[in-house]
């Protein structure tokens, strides 16, 4: 068998059996010993689907004297066809051990392997070999060296190789430019681009991509228009459309895409994905459908990235059935992003059960899958489920990302699950996870809303960079915990750092004034918000001022402020005035405001209850019954008092009059002990809190079974001192409960923290942080 015969035989080889026959002939005739013939054989087998790669390796390992072409072929096959750059580099060591001599094709293969592995150290070793073997003047070798250093982020080295090149061809210029683009170095990229002897389309497209990524839209458009005048390709259009989309200029992206189509330029899946993303941002399902039809028409519909973009589009626009059709029709083309997008889509549309089913049926999950589900639970107020899934995530050994941590901490905040929140904080510290402004602010928010101000301040002062949301969290938190002076002082510190306050900041500042009845200070801050900071007060700011004035007994001024508001007052603002009427026993105004509120929002239980309480305080039981009948007619059900307390890592929930808790006998015994001790302290129940026409003894019994009292009693049973007893209540704490908890803190020498609907009450030694003003 001769070499020419071998080439012809390999060219006609169509079956594995045929190849084995050819191989046998080369062995029998001894042609296998010829380096050139062996290289032809290896080149065919390593590139052919007829021959398994391990079979090619066996042939290679039996060759006595393979030439450099054969070595290059087998190294390239490891890299390009087997996706195994490590093995290619290992083979090079064997190559050197055999005293084989490389050629100018050897090092580009190996340098590409290092670039794929982002291994600068191995690349530098190969660079030394390039110098030693005299290939440092070869343009192809130098260009792959430039690419290696650029990929590894070592642009000074890439630039040095470029500057020292005897010949700088277009590939050299484009490669070093691509390095600056990857590094996001706009200044150097611009300087290099302007200095190019010939600016080709590839370089221009790279600059459009860079400018788009860095928000330099005008510069990107200038280059796009320059290219348009000479040689523009589909990538140029695609890059400019993507630039607009990335920078939230979605209308411009769609206009340019229409222009692209009108110019007769072919579209690919890349530009279609950018356009679909723009449609998603604009919630333009109609345009998205048109683009979907175009994708099907030009034959790019089956790309998985495009399917994912369609799922995102339809689910974002509320067209969940269309998203589901895309997902169900995806088959084997779907990837993890597809599953995650569909789960996020279900959650976005509130289909929690569908999201759960899909999540638990996933063939594999990544951190995004877990985070999407945990975040979805938290956003839809399934806080217990969010924490349960977060703990399940830990059991599966999945390292949580920022989204999962923020969602889990938020769930802890809503459930007052302080122990678990502290555990998550410790987990972040122990695993040295990156803590940014969002995560730090979420931790601060959790601590202040669990009454742990010291922990919150520790995080706050440790932060190198603070956003306005961070300042807002600490200002609101200090005020909520009764530290009004510290809250207002923190606002002053915020202004010193030149951080501009926003609407939320002033809600915190006005809230601080409201909590302590600082009317003059509240008026000052309300005025400065408008005059100094040019912030137009919204309805919540007015509501806060009405509440502040009302709590201070300035009911007439509060009502006048409501009448002067530039917008129609909402029910919450009127509700604040109604609450103030009850507090200050202005039954006439209270009845008038209460009747008005029931007309405005007949399904609001709180207003009915407040008006009912006003009538009850006057002994007008007929009016109380009338209000209850109105509630029944409208199907209004009073929100039951509910209090939560965490003990030994478990959150326990109590309703008013609850008898279902497993430890109810211990709780009731403790309540009896509490009642006996409080009588000694001179406690007299505030039976006016009970708006029922029953005798005083029954009223006392009803009072003593309020949810916060049950929770505190449970805390006395299960939480050993000196650990504070922490209770969270869904409604405002009543006068009687406030008095009782104060006395318990003194009689049992316990620190008790109660977070009600509006603020924190820190009880200690018979006193409360609110100073009885709430």
């Amino acid at each position: 068998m001769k070499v020419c015969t071998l080439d012809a035989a390999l060219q006609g080889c169509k079956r594995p059996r045929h190849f084995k026959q050819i191989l046998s002939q080369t062995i029998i005739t001894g042609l296998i010993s010829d380096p050139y013939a062996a290289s032809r054989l290896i080149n065919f087998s390593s590139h052919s689907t007829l021959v398994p790669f391990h079979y090619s390796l066996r042939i290679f390992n039996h060759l006595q004297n393979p030439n450099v072409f054969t070595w290059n072929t087998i190294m390239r096959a490891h890299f390009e066809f087997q996706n195994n750059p490590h093995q290619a580099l290992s083979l090079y060591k064997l190559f050197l051990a055999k005293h084989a001599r490389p050629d100018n094709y050897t090092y580009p293969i190996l340098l590409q392997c290092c670039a794929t592995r982002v291994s600068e150290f191995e690349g530098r070793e190969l660079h030394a070999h390039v110098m030693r073997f005299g290939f440092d003047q070869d343009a192809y070798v130098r260009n792959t060296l430039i690419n290696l250093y650029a990929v590894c982020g070592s642009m000074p080295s890439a630039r040095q190789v470029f500057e020292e090149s005897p010949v700088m061809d277009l590939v050299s210029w484009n490669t070093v430019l691509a390095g600056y683009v990857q590094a996001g170095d706009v200044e150097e990229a611009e300087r290099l681009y302007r200095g190019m002897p010939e600016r080709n389309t590839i370089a221009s497209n790279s600059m459009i991509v860079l400018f788009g990524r860095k928000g330099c839209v005008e510069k990107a458009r200038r280059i796009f228009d320059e290219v348009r005048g000479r040689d523009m390709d589909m990538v140029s259009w695609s890059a400019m459309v993507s630039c607009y989309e990335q920078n939230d200029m979605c209308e411009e992206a769609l206009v340019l895409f229409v222009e692209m189509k009108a110019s007769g330029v072919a579209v690919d899946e890349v530009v279609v994905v950018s356009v679909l993303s723009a449609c998603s941002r604009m919630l333009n399902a109609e345009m998205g459908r048109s683009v979907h039809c175009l994708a099907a028409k030009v034959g790019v519909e089956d790309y998985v990235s495009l399917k994912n973009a369609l799922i995102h589009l339809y689910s974002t626009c509320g067209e969940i059935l269309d998203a589901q059709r895309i997902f169900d029709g995806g088959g084997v083309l779907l990837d993890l992003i597809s599953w995650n997008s569909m789960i996020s889509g279900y959650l976005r549309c509130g289909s929690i059960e569908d999201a759960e089913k899909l999540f638990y049926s996933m063939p594999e999950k990544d951190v995004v899958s877990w985070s999407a589900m945990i975040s979805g639970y938290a956003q839809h107020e399934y806080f217990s489920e969010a924490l349960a899934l977060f703990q399940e995530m830990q059991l599966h050994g999945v390292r949580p990302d920022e989204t999962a941590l923020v969602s889990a901490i938020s769930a802890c905040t809503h459930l007052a699950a302080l122990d678990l929140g502290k555990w998550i904080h410790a987990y972040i510290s122990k695993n040295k996870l990156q803590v940014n402004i969002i995560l730090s602010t979420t931790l601060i928010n959790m601590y202040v809303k669990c009454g742990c101000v010291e922990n919150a301040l520790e995080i706050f002062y440790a932060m190198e960079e603070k956003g306005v949301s961070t300042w807002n969290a600490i200002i609101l938190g200090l005020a909520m915990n009764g530290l009004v002076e510290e809250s207002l002082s923190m606002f002053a510190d915020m202004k010193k750092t030149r951080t501009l306050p926003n609407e939320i900041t002033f809600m915190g500042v006005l809230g601080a004034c409201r909590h302590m009845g600082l009317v003059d200070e509240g008026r000052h801050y309300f005025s400065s918000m408008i005059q100094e900071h040019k912030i137009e007060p919204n309805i919540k700011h007015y509501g806060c001022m009405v509440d502040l004035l009302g709590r201070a007994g300035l009911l007439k001024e509060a009502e006048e402020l409501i009448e002067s508001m530039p917008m129609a007052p909402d029910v919450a603002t009127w509700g604040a005035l109604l609450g103030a009427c009850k507090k200050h026993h202005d039954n006439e105004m209270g009845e008038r405001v209460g009747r008005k509120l029931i007309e405005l929002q007949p399904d609001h239980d709180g207003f009915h209850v407040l008006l009912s309480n006003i009538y009850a305080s006057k002994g007008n039981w007929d009016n109380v019954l009338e209000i209850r009948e109105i509630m029944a007619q409208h199907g209004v059900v009073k929100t039951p008092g509910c209090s939560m307390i965490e003990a030994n890592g478990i959150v326990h929930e109590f309703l008013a009059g609850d008898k279902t808790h497993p430890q109810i006998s211990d709780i009731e015994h403790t309540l009896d002990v509490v009642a006996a001790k409080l009588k000694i302290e001179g406690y007299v129940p505030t039976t006016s809190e009970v708006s029922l026409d029953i005798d005083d003894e029954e009223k006392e019994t009803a009072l003593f079974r309020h949810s916060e009292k049950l929770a505190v009693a449970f805390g006395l049973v299960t939480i050993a001192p000196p650990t504070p007893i922490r209770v969270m209540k869904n409604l405002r704490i009543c006068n009687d409960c406030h008095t009782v908890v104060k006395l318990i803190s003194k009689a049992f020498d316990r620190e008790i923290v109660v977070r009600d609907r509006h603020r924190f009450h820190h009880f200690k030694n018979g006193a409360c942080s609110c100073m009885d003003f709430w």
Side-chain angles (χ1 to χ4, degrees):
M1 193 177 201
K2 296 183 180 179
V3 173
C4 58
T5 313
L6 174 64
D7 281 339
L10 289 173
Q11 196 171 353
C13 182
K14 304 296 181 187
R15 295 180 182 174
R17 188 178 66 177
H18 192 189
F19 176 77
K20 288 181 180 179
Q21 289 172 349
I22 296 169
L23 177 61
S24 299
Q25 285 295 313
T26 60
I27 294 170
I28 292 167
T29 60
L31 190 62
I32 193 82
S33 300
D34 180 81
Y36 179 76
S39 71
R40 303 304 299 155
L41 200 66
I42 290 293
N43 187 55
F44 177 85
S45 68
S46 63
H47 286 73
S48 174
T49 56
L50 298 174
V51 186
F53 186 64
H54 68 85
Y55 199 79
S56 298
L57 284 178
R58 285 181 64 191
I59 299 169
F60 175 77
N61 291 333
H62 280 86
L63 298 179
Q64 292 181 351
N65 190 27
N67 61 14
V68 67
F69 178 84
T70 307
W71 283 97
N72 289 347
T73 300
I74 208 75
M75 284 189 282
R76 182 181 285 109
H78 272 300
F79 171 56
E80 292 181 356
F81 305 119
Q82 300 303 308
N83 194 25
N84 194 347
H86 173 73
Q87 195 57 42
L89 292 167
S90 298
L91 202 60
Y92 175 65
K93 294 174 185 175
L94 180 63
F95 172 79
L96 293 176
K98 296 275 188 182
H99 303 291
R101 190 165 184 83
D103 64 8
N104 59 331
Y105 293 104
T106 306
Y107 289 107
I109 298 166
L110 298 169
L111 290 167
Q112 286 176 59
C113 289
C114 293
T116 301
R117 286 161 56 83
V118 196
S119 177
E120 186 180 347
F121 178 76
E122 289 175 313
R124 288 193 181 278
E125 287 184 320
L126 287 170
H127 191 172
H129 287 212
V130 166
M131 304 286 285
R132 193 173 86 192
F133 286 106
F135 295 113
D136 53 309
Q137 300 300 304
D138 185 274
Y140 183 30
V141 174
R142 294 192 80 88
N143 288 342
T144 49
L145 271 168
I146 293 168
N147 180 64
L148 162 75
Y149 287 126
V151 167
C152 292
S154 183
M155 284 310 297
S157 298
R159 189 63 183 259
Q160 185 180 345
V161 175
F162 172 75
E163 298 287 359
E164 292 174 355
S165 297
V167 178
M168 295 179 186
D169 59 12
L170 268 177
V171 176
S172 311
W173 285 93
N174 287 342
T175 305
V176 77
L177 179 63
Y180 284 124
V181 168
Q182 180 183 297
D185 191 335
V186 174
E187 190 178 334
E188 281 299 325
E190 270 195 284
R191 191 177 293 120
L192 189 79
Y193 178 73
R194 297 300 171 197
M196 288 180 75
E198 181 186 345
R199 292 177 208 149
N200 62 354
T201 306
I202 294 172
S204 298
N205 293 345
S206 293
M207 290 303 294
I208 294 171
V209 169
L210 174 63
F211 286 140
R213 201 185 301 151
K214 291 294 180 179
C216 308
V217 180
E218 288 183 13
K219 288 183 176 181
R221 183 68 202 220
R222 261 200 305 274
I223 290 182
F224 176 78
D225 290 335
E226 286 173 12
V227 176
R228 204 171 188 174
R230 357 185 264 272
D231 187 19
M232 180 183 284
D233 62 8
M234 179 175 65
V235 178
S236 312
W237 287 92
S238 182
M240 195 62 225
V241 169
S242 178
C243 169
Y244 280 136
E245 185 271 324
Q246 286 172 17
N247 289 280
D248 256 345
M249 299 174 69
C250 297
E251 284 190 25
E252 288 83 350
L254 296 182
V255 167
L256 189 65
F257 178 69
V258 171
E259 194 179 331
M260 176 184 179
K261 278 299 299 162
S263 300
V265 181
V267 301
D268 64 357
E269 79 284 357
V270 177
V271 71
V272 173
V273 166
S274 293
V275 174
L276 287 172
S277 180
C279 293
S280 299
R281 287 171 186 254
M282 295 175 68
L283 300 178
N284 191 339
E286 188 179 346
M287 180 69 173
R289 286 186 201 283
S290 301
V291 177
H292 184 182
C293 292
L294 174 66
K297 187 178 177 182
V298 299
V300 297
E301 190 183 19
D302 286 337
Y303 282 93
V304 68
S305 58
L306 197 142
K307 285 187 178 295
N308 294 341
L310 285 168
I311 291 168
H312 179 68
L313 164 76
Y314 288 129
S315 62
T316 301
C317 295
E319 307 287 347
I320 196 66
L321 293 178
D322 289 314
Q324 192 174 317
R325 269 193 289 273
I326 300 291
F327 181 81
D328 292 341
V332 294
L333 295 173
L334 299 176
D335 61 6
L336 255 176
I337 296 172
S338 316
W339 287 81
N340 292 339
S341 295
M342 196 64 228
I343 288 169
S344 297
Y346 279 134
L347 291 167
R348 201 178 289 115
C349 297
S351 303
I352 307 294
E353 286 185 17
D354 290 322
E356 283 177 333
K357 284 176 189 171
L358 200 61
F359 176 77
Y360 285 110
S361 67
M362 289 180 79
E364 61 174 312
K365 302 177 184 73
D366 64 0
V367 66
V368 177
S369 319
W370 291 93
S371 296
M373 201 66 221
I374 293 166
S375 174
Y377 276 141
Q379 286 168 10
H380 291 283
E381 299 187 359
Y382 285 62
F383 301 118
S384 298
E385 289 82 354
L387 291 181
L389 192 61
F390 181 79
Q391 289 170 319
E392 189 181 332
M393 182 186 189
Q394 300 303 297
L395 293 174
H396 280 79
V398 180
R399 188 183 176 97
D401 61 4
E402 180 195 318
T403 303
L405 290 166
V406 166
S407 300
I409 294 165
S410 298
C412 291
T413 305
H414 283 89
L415 294 175
L418 179 61
D419 288 349
L420 184 54
K422 283 184 174 179
W423 182 89
I424 295 171
H425 187 189
Y427 175 89
I428 293 167
S429 302
K430 182 182 175 184
N431 290 277
K432 294 182 170 55
L433 300 180
Q434 187 178 357
V435 180
N436 58 15
I437 290 176
I438 296 171
L439 191 52
S440 295
T441 302
T442 308
L443 280 167
I444 289 169
N445 191 49
M446 179 200 72
Y447 279 123
V448 294
K449 287 185 177 176
C450 288
C452 299
V453 176
E454 287 182 9
N455 301 67
L457 287 171
E458 187 181 334
I459 296 169
F460 178 82
Y461 287 121
M463 290 174 70
E464 292 180 10
E465 186 183 353
K466 301 175 181 73
V468 65
S469 59
T470 315
W471 287 99
N472 290 347
I474 203 73
I475 289 167
L476 283 158
L478 289 168
M480 189 189 296
N481 281 277
L483 300 168
V484 171
E485 192 177 326
E486 291 85 343
S487 175
L488 298 178
S489 173
M490 195 64 80
F491 176 62
D493 290 344
M494 177 188 184
K495 291 204 289 185
K496 286 175 190 171
T497 65
R498 304 208 172 168
T499 305
L500 293 175
N502 59 17
E503 295 90 343
I504 298 170
T505 316
F506 279 99
M507 279 301 299
V509 172
L510 293 173
C513 297
R514 176 183 65 182
H515 286 315
M516 293 304 288
L518 305 177
V519 176
D520 291 339
E521 290 84 345
R523 287 173 177 145
H524 163 72
Y525 287 119
F526 188 77
S527 174
S528 75
M529 175 175 67
I530 302 166
Q531 303 299 328
E532 183 184 344
H533 298 283
K534 310 301 178 190
I535 296 172
E536 198 66 35
N538 61 35
I539 201 159
K540 289 186 177 179
H541 297 113
Y542 278 104
C544 207
M545 283 301 296
V546 168
D547 198 19
L548 169 62
L549 295 168
R551 284 168 185 262
L554 302 170
L555 300 179
K556 193 172 187 309
E557 186 179 343
E559 188 171 21
E560 287 172 356
L561 181 61
I562 290 176
E563 299 292 354
S564 69
M565 283 168 59
M567 74 283 290
D570 61 357
V571 290
T573 307
W574 283 112
L577 182 58
L578 177 60
C581 291
K582 180 181 180 296
K583 178 181 174 67
H584 294 286
H585 310 292
D586 189 332
N587 295 332
E588 184 185 341
M589 183 186 284
E591 185 177 346
R592 176 164 47 81
V593 172
R595 292 284 181 183
K596 183 170 188 171
L597 275 168
I598 287 173
E599 286 176 19
L600 284 171
Q601 196 165 343
D603 59 344
H604 193 291
D605 66 309
F607 302 145
H608 289 83
V609 171
L610 271 173
L611 184 55
S612 175
N613 288 346
I614 287 171
Y615 286 134
S617 68
K618 296 196 299 182
N620 294 347
W621 300 111
D622 289 341
N623 294 112
V624 171
L625 286 172
E626 180 199 348
I627 297 299
R628 290 178 184 272
E629 284 171 10
I630 292 170
M631 290 175 73
Q633 285 170 10
H634 289 93
V636 179
V637 180
K638 180 182 180 295
T639 302
C642 174
S643 295
M644 290 183 288
I645 180 170
E646 185 183 28
N648 303 317
I650 300 169
V651 177
H652 300 260
E653 192 172 88
F654 294 90
L655 297 174
D658 204 341
K659 289 190 178 231
T660 60
H661 195 276
Q663 291 174 262
I664 191 63
S665 57
D666 294 333
I667 294 167
E668 288 185 333
H669 172 70
T670 304
L671 283 173
D672 290 340
V673 173
V674 167
K677 278 202 174 190
L678 296 196
K679 279 188 178 177
I680 296 170
E681 295 286 340
Y683 162 68
V684 177
T686 314
T687 54
S688 60
E689 294 282 344
V690 182
S691 56
L692 295 169
D693 189 11
I694 54 178
D695 62 41
D696 285 348
E697 188 176 341
E698 288 177 291
K699 287 184 178 182
E700 286 183 28
T701 304
L703 274 176
F704 230 67
R705 301 201 69 82
H706 277 192
S707 65
E708 56 266 58
K709 292 190 181 88
L710 292 170
V712 170
F714 176 73
L716 291 171
V717 171
T718 57
I719 300 171
T723 305
I725 295 169
R726 300 179 187 277
V727 175
M728 183 174 80
K729 188 179 180 186
N730 64 331
L731 304 175
R732 175 185 174 276
I733 187 171
C734 74
N735 291 331
D736 187 74
C737 287
H738 193 269
T739 302
V740 166
V741 179
K742 272 201 304 183
L743 293 170
I744 290 173
S745 71
K746 181 181 179 183
F748 290 82
D749 192 23
R750 295 298 300 267
E751 184 181 347
I752 303 170
V753 181
V754 177
R755 171 184 157 196
D756 72 7
R757 191 173 182 174
H758 297 291
R759 63 173 299 161
F760 274 90
H761 300 266
H762 292 258
F763 299 95
K764 197 171 183 180
N765 298 324
C768 179
S769 58
C770 74
M771 299 167 68
D772 298 339
F773 186 90
W774 84 103

